[in-house]
Amino acid sequence: MNTPPRATGSAWQRLCQRFGWAWRGVIVLFRTQANARIQAAAAIAVTAAGFAFHISIGEWCAVLGAIALVLVAEAINTAIEAVVDLASPEVHPLAERAKDVAAGAVLIAAVVSVIMGLLVFGPHLLALIGR
């Protein structure tokens, strides 16, 4: 993928160009990364559960924060992997370390998100089972 040209035109046109490039990045993320698609499907399922259980505003903040945390970590991981592959196409211990640490960040975000999900949805599920 080529680097986008410098934004030109009025301030509004430059802002629109920058948002366009950012959206292009989101599209690339979901088109090229199977894990991002899985995470998006999980986010849709969790959002549906939030509506079904009528979770509170605070719980929505936790759920949306967890969703954002995982997707942002995946996007940063993808960007790091692309840059490392560009800078070091051959296998190198430092390249491997960078990619492993970036993938580890996604794992940490996912584990924390699961814990947050249990904290939010656990009481709702227990109340449903107790009926």
Side-chain angles (χ1 to χ4, degrees), residues 73-90:
E74 186 65 44
I76 292 170
N77 177 50
T78 300
I80 288 171
E81 286 184 352
V83 170
V84 167
D85 288 346
L86 176 66
S88 181
E90 68 285 342

Side-chain angles (χ1 to χ4, degrees), residues 46 49-61 63 120-121 124:
V46 168
F51 284 115
F53 286 117
H54 304 286
I55 63 176
S56 70
I57 295 294
E59 290 170 326
W60 272 117
C61 289
V63 166
V120 169
F121 290 107
H124 295 284

Side-chain angles (χ1 to χ4, degrees), residues 4-85:
R6 273 185 72 117
T8 58
S10 70
W12 177 251
Q13 288 171 324
R14 289 191 307 270
L15 179 65
C16 288
Q17 286 175 324
R18 288 183 186 114
F19 272 104
W21 296 327
W23 275 113
R24 183 173 65 186
V26 171
I27 291 166
V28 166
L29 175 69
F30 287 109
R31 281 190 180 159
T32 64
Q33 302 302 308
N35 286 345
R37 292 190 297 274
I38 292 167
Q39 292 155 355
I44 291 167
V46 168
T47 300
F51 284 115
F53 286 117
H54 304 286
I55 63 176
S56 70
I57 295 294
E59 290 170 326
W60 272 117
C61 289
V63 166
L64 294 175
I67 290 169
L69 175 68
V70 172
L71 291 175
V72 167
E74 186 65 44
I76 292 170
N77 177 50
T78 300
I80 288 171
E81 286 184 352
V83 170
V84 167
D85 288 346

